[in-house]
Amino acid sequence: MSQTYSFFQSVERSFDKAARFTKWDKGLLEQIKACNSIYSMRFPVKMDDGRIEVIEAYRVQHSQHKSPCKGGIRFSDAVNQDEVMALASLMTYKCAIVNVPFGGGKGGIKINPKNYSTYELEKITRRYTAELVKKNFIGPGIDVPAPDYGTGEREMAWIVDTYASLKPGEIDAAGCVTGKPISQGGVNGRKEATGLGVFFGIREVCRMEDTMKKLGLSMGIEGKTVVIQGLGNVGYHSAKFFREGGAKVVAIAEYEGAVYNTNGLNEEDLFKHRKATGSILNFPGATNLANTSDALELDCDILVPAALENVINKDNAPRVKAKIIAEAANGPLTPDADEILTAKGALVVPDMYLNAGGVTVSYFEWLKNLSHVRYGRMEKRFRENKNMHILMQLEELTGRQVSAEERAAIMRGADEIDLVHSGLEETMISATREIMDIWNANPTIPDMRTAAYVNAINKVANSYMELGIFP
Ligand code: GLU
């Protein structure tokens, strides 16, 4: 019989399902699963019209097995403690899976940003940061927030500025938050990181012969049909990289409905259309789907839910036709939906590994902040001089000159963006292979999510053991 689970309970349930495939002591597993510190706060903010509003907000630190804790801050009127706890837990497992040395954390402010002026949002964000500082819940070695649903570079800039002004002289202050604008210590490539990570992860899955055979799909991304739910940062960039990788993005959904075109959609044009008209509907050449959730049930190879949690549940899961469900959002499937889709033979590629591109590049940003030097600064020219030297030797030996374009391509030393993308690609490829190896080594593991959890649990448990925290 199906039961309703809170988001945190769903995460616990997936954890327990995987824990059975590990050898760890029950107490240690309980410790890993628990949220270590939960800060629930209320603070007053004076609105533009002079009213005082009490703001409800949270920061949860799920695990300190590695420091700092890491995870985004969301602004949404659906925020509640259970949701933040679930998301903080997912961050712990996510970081472990992609070998990013952080514990999990998450923050949330229960507001719909659309209902507030920019000045009001700035006051809320700055006050929230000050509350975190007061309780020692933020800092480059303590807990490092980042963007999440409803927040972006602008909010991160307010956070770092508030933090730095309250901690004068702290030389690593820029590392108190990631996802900052480049001018405030951000790293090139952070914005598109989650979407690009989703693409790299799915591309790797599509390169696995056995997996593709089981799904009845051809190898590779080329020609695959993709449906994307959400045209926010993650949805937009997932669409872009799938399209550029040769897939056909046949539908994109948002609150107001969805648009569908079997010849493929261009996310950039759709984004502009939405900006100009206020809706994705009536996009030239595309068919409207009045009900946004209808898009989830369209015929396609890859379905990418890139918005909020619980969008695929026991009611609509039986009608989902996609062979691969790429969980770009956190928790888009309820446990029932997960089981229904797995039973149907679909491959659910789980959130806490697939959307780890964001936190991976956040890690690169944090390292940049702590090292106080931009990636590529030390070696770019050196590499170009070396390449030039090698090329000249080759030309002399072969008696042949390369074309001007070839010369430019061979000589180029890596910029920050090249290194960030390459680090992300390596991370997602290794993470995919690690999970698949665990799954292949134990065919009784029922699905990829469980294999991912087994990997995460083993890594977190190992670091607890190394810490020797149980005297
Ligand atoms: N909010 C993103 C996530 O859920 C990014 C977190 C981070 O960069 O710390 O993974």
Side-chain angles (χ1 to χ4, degrees):
M1 227 193 46
S2 74
Q3 203 189 317
T4 327
Y5 295 95
S6 77
F7 190 9
F8 183 62
Q9 285 170 331
S10 301
V11 175
E12 287 194 304
R13 198 167 168 238
S14 302
F15 181 99
D16 292 339
K17 195 167 156 190
R20 288 188 280 117
F21 297 96
T22 71
K23 56 169 180 129
W24 303 104
D25 176 90
K26 199 165 160 281
L28 178 56
L29 291 168
E30 284 305 313
Q31 169 55 40
I32 295 173
K33 211 165 51 163
C35 286
N36 289 356
S37 320
I38 301 171
Y39 180 16
S40 162
M41 64 188 103
R42 304 289 182 276
F43 52 80
V45 176
K46 199 166 189 173
M47 297 299 148
D48 293 348
D49 61 4
R51 248 178 341 105
I52 290 172
E53 199 175 308
V54 180
I55 303 293
E56 176 182 336
Y58 304 89
R59 183 74 190 174
V60 172
Q61 297 173 346
H62 172 257
S63 174
Q64 279 101 351
H65 73 287
K66 296 220 187 266
S67 287
C69 293
K70 189 85 192 77
I73 293 179
R74 65 171 52 186
F75 287 3
S76 146
D77 45 18
V79 161
N80 58 54
Q81 187 173 313
D82 181 272
E83 182 191 60
V84 185
M85 286 167 68
L87 294 165
S89 317
L90 286 174
M91 287 308 303
T92 295
Y93 310 134
K94 193 182 291 194
C95 292
I97 288 169
V98 289
N99 299 313
V100 162
F102 295 143
K106 201 75 165 202
I109 304 187
K110 191 178 166 57
I111 52 165
N112 178 350
K114 292 202 177 76
N115 299 338
Y116 296 85
S117 69
T118 306
Y119 183 50
E120 288 169 341
L121 287 172
E122 178 171 350
K123 281 208 279 189
I124 294 169
T125 310
R126 287 186 181 275
R127 177 64 192 258
Y128 175 77
T129 311
E131 294 298 322
L132 294 178
V133 171
K134 278 195 251 170
K135 292 279 192 295
N136 217 13
F137 255 67
I138 184 171
I142 299 169
D143 189 350
V144 180
D148 198 83
Y149 187 84
T151 58
E153 286 186 348
R154 181 183 65 172
E155 288 73 18
M156 304 307 117
W158 291 331
I159 292 174
V160 69
D161 185 56
T162 309
Y163 180 86
S165 65
L166 292 173
K167 300 263 182 180
E170 194 174 307
I171 193 154
D172 291 329
C176 78
V177 66
T178 58
K180 302 177 292 290
I182 304 292
S183 58
Q184 306 295 317
V187 74
N188 284 287
R190 175 64 185 83
K191 216 188 203 146
E192 68 271 30
T194 309
L196 184 55
V198 168
F199 170 74
F200 283 145
I202 296 297
R203 189 189 64 183
E204 191 57 21
V205 167
C206 290
R207 283 176 176 166
M208 295 179 167
E209 205 174 342
D210 287 355
T211 310
M212 289 296 101
K213 214 182 243 163
K214 267 189 233 149
L215 294 169
L217 291 173
S218 60
M219 301 265 292
I221 286 288
E222 192 95 16
K224 295 257 178 324
T225 51
V226 182
V227 170
I228 297 192
Q229 187 206 29
L231 195 57
N233 178 36
V234 180
Y236 172 86
H237 285 107
S238 302
K240 173 176 155 53
F241 294 114
F242 274 111
R243 179 181 55 73
E244 288 176 359
K248 228 193 287 171
V249 179
V250 292
I252 297 184
E254 257 297 341
Y255 309 99
E256 62 271 18
V259 285
Y260 180 60
N261 185 341
T262 44
N263 297 322
L265 296 162
N266 180 298
E267 73 297 328
E268 170 77 51
D269 295 344
L270 184 60
F271 185 82
K272 286 189 189 139
H273 167 83
R274 190 173 190 229
K275 207 158 184 200
T277 67
S279 166
I280 58 171
L281 296 173
N282 303 321
F283 182 56
T287 311
N288 290 337
L289 296 177
N291 195 344
T292 176
S293 59
D294 288 352
L296 301 169
E297 299 167 23
L298 287 169
D299 233 325
C300 64
D301 299 319
I302 305 169
L303 172 63
V304 187
L308 281 177
E309 56 264 20
N310 294 345
V311 292
I312 305 178
N313 46 50
K314 66 174 181 335
D315 300 324
N316 58 0
R319 295 191 298 273
V320 169
K321 297 181 194 68
K323 300 262 176 52
I324 297 176
I325 322 296
E327 290 192 325
N330 288 308
L333 268 62
T334 63
D336 288 328
D338 203 1
E339 271 161 29
I340 294 168
L341 287 162
T342 305
K344 275 171 61 159
L347 176 70
V348 178
V349 185
D351 48 4
M352 86 283 193
Y353 130 76
L354 190 65
N355 68 27
V359 76
T360 301
V361 176
S362 276
Y363 171 48
F364 301 154
E365 179 175 335
W366 181 78
L367 291 175
K368 174 185 182 180
N369 296 148
L370 299 190
S371 65
H372 300 265
V373 64
R374 148 178 80 74
Y375 289 102
R377 177 170 174 178
M378 304 301 282
E379 70 270 18
K380 183 178 163 72
R381 300 292 155 184
F382 174 81
R383 182 46 62 199
E384 289 188 350
N385 292 337
K386 259 269 174 302
N387 290 350
M388 169 72 122
H389 187 73
I390 296 169
L391 184 60
M392 275 164 50
Q393 294 293 312
L394 280 174
E395 284 182 336
E396 208 176 291
L397 278 168
T398 56
R400 185 189 152 238
Q401 294 251 311
V402 299
S403 70
E405 291 97 72
E406 278 170 339
R407 174 175 304 274
I410 293 169
M411 273 188 48
R412 205 169 84 82
D415 283 319
E416 182 163 272
I417 189 81
D418 304 307
L419 296 168
V420 164
H421 282 178
S422 151
L424 176 60
E425 184 172 11
E426 162 59 18
T427 302
M428 293 309 295
I429 291 176
S430 324
T432 314
R433 291 187 186 164
E434 269 184 27
I435 296 168
M436 288 304 199
D437 285 349
I438 289 177
W439 197 8
N440 289 335
N442 185 349
T444 62
I445 292 179
D447 48 47
M448 192 174 172
R449 187 187 315 280
T450 307
Y453 266 98
V454 168
N455 193 11
I457 293 171
N458 285 338
K459 287 185 186 176
V460 179
N462 271 319
S463 40
Y464 267 114
M465 298 317 278
E466 281 155 18
L467 286 172
I469 51 138
F470 296 111

